[in-house]
Amino acid sequence: MTPGFRELRDQLARLCNKISRQVQIMEVCGTHTTSAYRNGLHAMLPENLRLVSGPGCPVCVTPQRHIDAAIELAAENDVMIATYGDMMRVPGRLGSLEKLRARGARVHVVSSARSALQIARDEPAASVAFLGIGFETTAPATAATVLEAERDGIENFSVLMCHKLVVPAMLALLEAGDVPLDGFLCPGHVSVITGAEAYRPVVQRHAKPCVIAGFEPQQILLGLVHLLQCVQSGRARLENVYRAVVGDMGNRAALDLMQRVFVTADTPWRAIGVIPQSGLELAPGYHRFDAVRRFSLTLGEDEDHPACLCGQVIQGKAEPAECPLFDHGCTPLSPIGPCMVSSEGTCAAWYKYNRSAKALRDLPQSQEVSG
Amino acid sequence: MNPVKAPLDTVDRIMLAHGGGGELTGQLIQQHLLSQLNNERLAPLTDGAVLPWRAGELVFTTDSYVVTPLEFPGGDIGRIAVAGTVNDLSVMGATPVALSLGLIIEEGLPVDVLDRIVASIAATAREANVEIVTGDTKVIERRSGDGLFVNTAGVGCLPPTVHVGLEHVEPCDVVLVNGCIADHGLTIMSVRHGIEFDSDLRSDAAPLNGLIEQLLTGGVRVKFIRDATRGGLAGVLADISEHRQLSIEIIEAQIPVSPTARHAAEMLGLDPLTVANEGKIVCVVAQDHATSALEAMRRHPLGRKAAVIGRVTDTQPPLVELNTRAGGRRIVQRPYGEELPRIC
Amino acid sequence: MCLAIPGRIIECRGDEALVDFHGNRLEISKIMTPDAAPGDWVLVHAGFSICTIDKHDALETWGYLQQASASETDEPVSDLAGRSVPKLGGTP
């Protein structure tokens, strides 16, 4: 039985008390960020425990050039765009898909790559491009959908590949060497696919504890307890508190799908730059489903706002409030940087929940609820 | 056979000619609108309705309704068009007296769809005990639109004894809702192309004037009522907090959300607090009237799952705050705009 | 980065399955969990099951999803109003 909320909170407090210095944990995944905020967990954490949001949010790390490519496809090539709702408001140089739709382009929000394929099936005269975003959890779904398109001969379907890999990004972050991190809260659902062992290099090469946790509030708190135990004992361990769904070796069928359809590639991350072997592209046998090739798109360069600190923010090097644009031109209603776009974006979450952090701290203690 | 000259009942779709003001327009109104909506004020088809009025204040409201798809589990555009305007009058404390109905129909709308929606308008008006006394119909060229847009305006009579309004909201007042939130918005999501799923959820669209009347006449000191439509519960609470410069604390575990709605919200990555409702009100009452307000609501079928969800405080700066199930605390804000399903 | 919730498989047709999420039913692909069968619990992300779960684990980790809200449990009215109001915050 998982310990209750109060017990977990007390354990965190005791551990932080013993450690008695500032502890900085990166929650790599945007869904952890959102869940922690939505469940009000920050108000339960000890003062010397700080959570830093990492580069695990596709909205934040998909470079402008891919948004621009989608816009070009719709505007110039009359292609219907199918996308997860997450990407609708992400600004490229030419605007966002939301604004493009308002100008008359056909942009469909789908909840699965298979729905995008279904649109292509239903409208054989149209050309449908699916925006393939997300990490290891989502990429196999795109792979399976490409295989389905091939099997059923649906040639008016293509994918704009933006899939990325988590572990290379974590390693790149550590190799840059300037982020003071005590450990990683690792994404539960990526780990379902990759297996827990995928984080072994992080632990071995960089001596950073990695704890895999799910997204329910109890899981997050339990993951943090395990991380603090590692920090306190000074031992970098790889732990998994999400054993209900995460095994050591991952999901073989999903990994096979990815291996069949994709190859790894050096990939640009928004505001971070190119990280070696951190992205996925379609393997040569599936190039005809690649929207960039099919429509001979040229991916340009990104032109992020020079003052925008999103790159620093998603590497844990800066807090949103340190950005000169934060709340001065960049707000959730008119985002300049990607971290202000989705509710899980670090800046948007800060804007939403932390702008009044002081006011929040001054409030009376919340009522006790035991799990 | 020339389809425009064909008798209407052999035409299965609305044509531009139905809006031309000629014979077909007359047939459309007689056979498809008046046949279901008829009452003694509407029947003469004069340019306006004459309503008897007693002295006192009148409440006047209007709203336009656009929804995709037009029909969904638990309702349709007609039901929300009547219930929405009835509710707008009722939350002002007024007793709804009469509605107008404006239909803008896109060429090509199947006639049987129109018939079902008009039947639903008539049924909802009967349910709310209000008459549609004047109306208008236009047909527009076929576009990629949704086929039918509805405007309803309504007048209501404000009893001199009723004083509801934001200005009455004070610290220590208690906040209630009349039942499970988020059903409507999630139902609409469940039937939207590209994200559809089969669900037991049904829209909560309903006229709430009966419930509100029960509350207002039951001896409860009701200070403020608003229907939590677009923007959801979060939107209404943010409005109260902003306008009154007061804080509101709500308790997650007390907010009624059905397990089916909670699962649907999780599937779509949405927060039930920001999802639209069409049959839910937020009600603010004096603290010592909390129990009687709750009892009054629960006596009505549309308030059976009513709950006290929080209270108003004078904490500054003014914020809406949620005490979460996990024992944490966070700020609640109104949503950005269109709520989109997410995978991340 | 990845929302996924547990559901129970109602029926399977080849690689496809109909999964119930407490009254919401979604057609998914079970190509990543080929052995999953009707009655099994699976974790579903973006229209695909990504793993099977033990029912006990599913209910423990996501138990709160099944819980009825306070108002749905037919508590006495006075208790609910009395319990919720005074405990809120410290304002008089």
Side-chain angles (χ1 to χ4, degrees):
Chain A
M1 202 55 198
T2 318
F5 290 120
R6 194 193 306 191
E7 196 180 330
L8 288 166
R9 195 191 60 185
D10 292 349
Q11 280 185 42
L12 281 175
R14 278 197 299 275
L15 284 160
C16 275
N17 205 19
K18 281 185 200 154
I19 297 168
S20 72
R21 66 172 173 86
Q22 180 79 26
V23 179
Q24 191 143 290
I25 301 292
M26 176 173 278
E27 88 271 12
V28 180
C29 170
T31 307
H32 271 143
T33 313
T34 307
S35 177
Y37 277 109
R38 211 173 253 187
N39 290 290
L41 300 189
H42 292 81
M44 300 168 72
L45 301 183
E47 282 216 345
N48 61 331
L49 173 57
R50 186 170 160 238
L51 290 184
V52 181
S53 303
C57 153
V59 170
C60 296
V61 299
T62 302
Q64 279 180 334
R65 65 196 80 172
H66 284 128
I67 306 295
D68 291 344
I71 290 175
E72 191 186 329
L73 278 176
E76 314 274 326
N77 301 68
D78 203 22
V79 170
M80 207 188 291
I81 303 293
T83 177
Y84 296 124
D86 312 56
M87 298 307 285
M88 284 297 280
R89 300 186 57 226
V90 181
R93 281 174 309 180
L94 309 168
S96 63
L97 291 170
E98 182 185 47
K99 288 176 179 160
L100 183 73
R101 187 176 61 182
R103 291 201 290 262
R106 294 185 70 182
V107 180
H108 284 275
V109 171
V110 293
S111 52
S112 170
R114 299 179 76 224
S115 306
L117 185 62
Q118 189 58 42
I119 293 174
R121 235 189 275 265
D122 293 343
E123 300 203 33
S127 187
V128 177
F130 172 65
L131 208 49
I133 56 141
F135 296 84
E136 287 91 333
T137 325
T138 319
T142 304
T145 306
V146 168
L147 289 175
E148 194 176 328
E150 182 191 44
R151 183 195 71 193
D152 297 349
I154 301 170
E155 299 292 331
N156 61 331
F157 175 78
S158 62
V159 181
L160 187 59
M161 286 292 292
C162 313
H163 287 297
K164 293 189 163 33
L165 303 172
V166 165
V167 174
M170 290 168 71
L171 290 171
L173 200 65
L174 291 168
E175 273 146 29
D178 47 0
V179 188
L181 286 180
D182 291 289
F184 290 99
L185 189 67
C186 297
H189 296 156
V190 160
S191 311
V192 167
I193 305 296
T194 63
E197 282 302 311
Y199 304 96
R200 186 65 67 189
V202 178
V203 179
Q204 278 178 347
R205 278 188 233 162
H206 297 277
K208 295 291 181 195
C210 285
V211 176
I212 298 157
F215 299 94
E216 303 313 309
Q218 257 154 326
Q219 276 282 315
I220 295 176
L221 294 175
L222 187 62
L224 289 173
V225 165
H226 282 244
L227 274 164
L228 289 179
Q229 284 165 348
C230 288
V231 173
Q232 196 216 346
S233 64
R235 292 183 57 196
R237 284 194 298 261
L238 172 57
E239 294 189 9
N240 177 7
V241 300
Y242 203 30
R243 292 219 164 266
V245 294
V246 177
D248 287 343
M249 302 317 288
N251 180 326
R252 195 65 252 165
L255 292 169
D256 284 347
L257 282 168
M258 284 206 279
Q259 203 149 31
R260 250 175 95 183
V261 180
F262 301 141
V263 290
T264 56
D266 299 351
T267 298
W269 293 56
R270 187 165 192 163
I272 296 177
V274 172
I275 300 176
Q277 298 301 300
S278 67
L280 296 172
E281 285 183 1
L282 286 160
Y286 299 94
H287 276 175
R288 69 180 190 283
F289 293 105
D290 183 350
V292 172
R293 285 171 203 272
R294 179 177 297 182
F295 298 99
S296 308
L297 299 179
T298 318
L299 294 177
E301 291 294 311
D302 288 11
E303 286 168 23
D304 288 307
H305 194 292
C308 174
L309 289 190
C310 279
Q312 307 281 307
V313 168
I314 54 178
Q315 295 177 78
K317 295 177 188 171
E319 290 205 337
E322 294 171 39
C323 176
L325 300 176
F326 184 79
D327 204 10
H328 292 91
C330 186
T331 65
L333 281 185
S334 60
I336 293 173
C339 298
M340 193 59 98
V341 174
S342 73
S343 61
E344 73 194 17
T346 311
C347 293
W350 260 67
Y351 188 91
K352 208 170 177 183
Y353 301 119
N354 263 25
R355 220 162 40 129
S356 304
K358 187 179 171 307
L360 205 55
R361 273 200 303 277
D362 293 343
L363 283 169
Q365 272 296 302
S366 57
Q367 68 165 27
E368 301 289 332
V369 178
S370 70
Chain B
M1 186 165 60
N2 179 343
V4 179
K5 284 194 176 164
L8 186 60
D9 53 7
T10 66
V11 175
D12 61 353
R13 285 178 188 272
I14 296 295
M15 301 174 297
L16 267 182
H18 285 118
E23 195 71 13
L24 276 178
T25 305
Q27 284 191 8
L28 173 69
I29 290 170
Q30 288 294 341
Q31 295 180 10
H32 296 272
L33 299 174
L34 283 186
S35 59
Q36 313 215 54
L37 298 171
N38 211 358
N39 60 64
E40 64 182 62
R41 289 191 220 290
L42 187 61
L45 292 179
T46 47
D47 282 333
V50 178
L51 305 173
W53 205 262
R54 56 177 183 272
E57 288 182 299
L58 172 152
V59 175
F60 178 36
T61 187
T62 183
D63 211 338
S64 298
Y65 299 85
V66 179
V67 64
T68 312
L70 294 173
E71 299 173 285
F72 43 82
D76 54 60
I77 191 171
R79 183 164 176 82
I80 59 174
V82 173
T85 295
V86 163
N87 293 346
D88 284 348
L89 291 170
S90 306
V91 299
M92 293 293 294
T95 307
V97 172
L99 300 188
S100 73
L101 174 69
L103 298 177
I104 297 178
I105 309 172
E106 204 174 296
E107 173 187 27
L109 179 75
V111 170
D112 60 338
V113 173
L114 179 69
D115 285 343
R116 285 200 299 272
I117 288 170
V118 175
S120 167
I121 289 171
T124 313
R126 276 194 300 277
E127 189 180 332
N129 197 25
V130 61
E131 284 183 339
I132 288 158
V133 296
T134 186
D136 177 54
T137 306
K138 294 283 184 291
V139 180
I140 56 170
E141 280 179 34
R142 191 187 189 103
R143 306 175 304 169
S144 56
D146 293 316
L148 178 65
F149 310 96
V150 183
N151 173 274
T152 51
V155 289
C157 171
L158 190 65
T161 49
V162 171
H163 303 283
V164 292
L166 274 175
E167 68 275 17
H168 302 293
V169 175
E170 295 170 301
C172 294
D173 287 349
V174 170
V175 182
L176 299 94
V177 291
N178 62 311
C180 291
I181 61 163
D183 288 355
H184 175 76
L186 293 169
T187 301
I188 296 296
M189 286 277 186
S190 78
V191 287
R192 210 158 259 183
H193 188 48
I195 53 175
E196 62 270 59
F197 55 93
D198 182 35
S199 178
D200 297 343
L201 284 173
R202 295 171 67 78
S203 166
D204 62 346
L208 297 171
N209 50 327
L211 171 85
I212 292 170
E213 190 185 339
Q214 200 157 304
L215 204 53
L216 291 174
T217 56
V220 180
R221 173 71 187 98
V222 178
K223 298 189 165 191
F224 175 72
I225 315 175
R226 183 165 290 172
D227 45 346
T229 54
R230 285 173 301 176
L233 185 59
V236 175
L237 297 175
D239 286 347
I240 300 172
S241 171
E242 263 175 40
H243 283 93
R244 290 292 293 138
Q245 291 292 297
L246 291 168
S247 290
I248 299 172
E249 290 187 54
I250 51 174
I251 299 179
E252 191 175 30
Q254 304 281 64
I255 300 171
V257 185
S258 75
T260 303
R262 203 177 290 144
H263 275 80
E266 288 281 322
M267 280 166 68
L268 297 164
L270 300 177
D271 179 356
L273 294 180
T274 62
V275 174
N277 310 279
E278 287 293 342
K280 290 298 163 303
I281 49 167
V282 173
C283 178
V284 181
V285 304
Q287 182 173 17
D288 51 358
H289 285 222
T291 305
S292 53
L294 194 58
E295 281 168 355
M297 276 190 180
R298 287 187 170 185
R299 272 197 303 272
H300 194 278
L302 296 173
R304 212 169 47 77
K305 291 180 178 174
V308 170
I309 60 164
R311 78 164 175 186
V312 181
T313 78
D314 56 6
T315 311
Q316 293 299 318
L319 294 169
V320 180
E321 281 203 85
L322 178 74
N323 290 295
T324 68
R325 281 169 188 272
R329 218 165 152 85
R330 70 155 161 110
I331 297 168
V332 175
Q333 290 193 340
R334 64 166 70 83
Y336 151 76
E338 186 194 15
E339 288 290 271
L340 294 171
R342 303 147 24 105
I343 55 135
C344 291
Chain C
M1 58 200 79
C2 312
L3 292 165
I5 67 163
R8 200 176 48 82
I9 296 183
I10 300 170
E11 59 184 57
C12 297
R13 282 180 309 274
D15 286 340
E16 309 217 331
L18 183 66
V19 179
D20 174 68
F21 305 89
H22 212 290
N24 305 287
R25 289 160 297 275
L26 192 62
E27 288 278 354
I28 64 139
S29 163
K30 69 176 192 81
I31 195 167
M32 294 180 216
T33 58
D35 299 333
D40 287 352
W41 285 73
V42 285
L43 195 58
V44 174
H45 167 75
F48 287 78
S49 53
I50 57 171
C51 62
T52 51
I53 332 166
D54 173 75
K55 181 186 173 186
H56 171 81
D57 288 337
L59 292 177
E60 188 184 325
T61 307
W62 288 275
Y64 80 100
L65 280 170
Q66 322 279 345
Q67 286 166 27
S69 301
S71 67
E72 292 188 272
T73 51
D74 284 334
E75 286 179 60
V77 165
S78 56
D79 179 43
L80 182 66
R83 213 160 44 95
S84 63
V85 181
K87 273 201 176 177
L88 276 164
T91 352

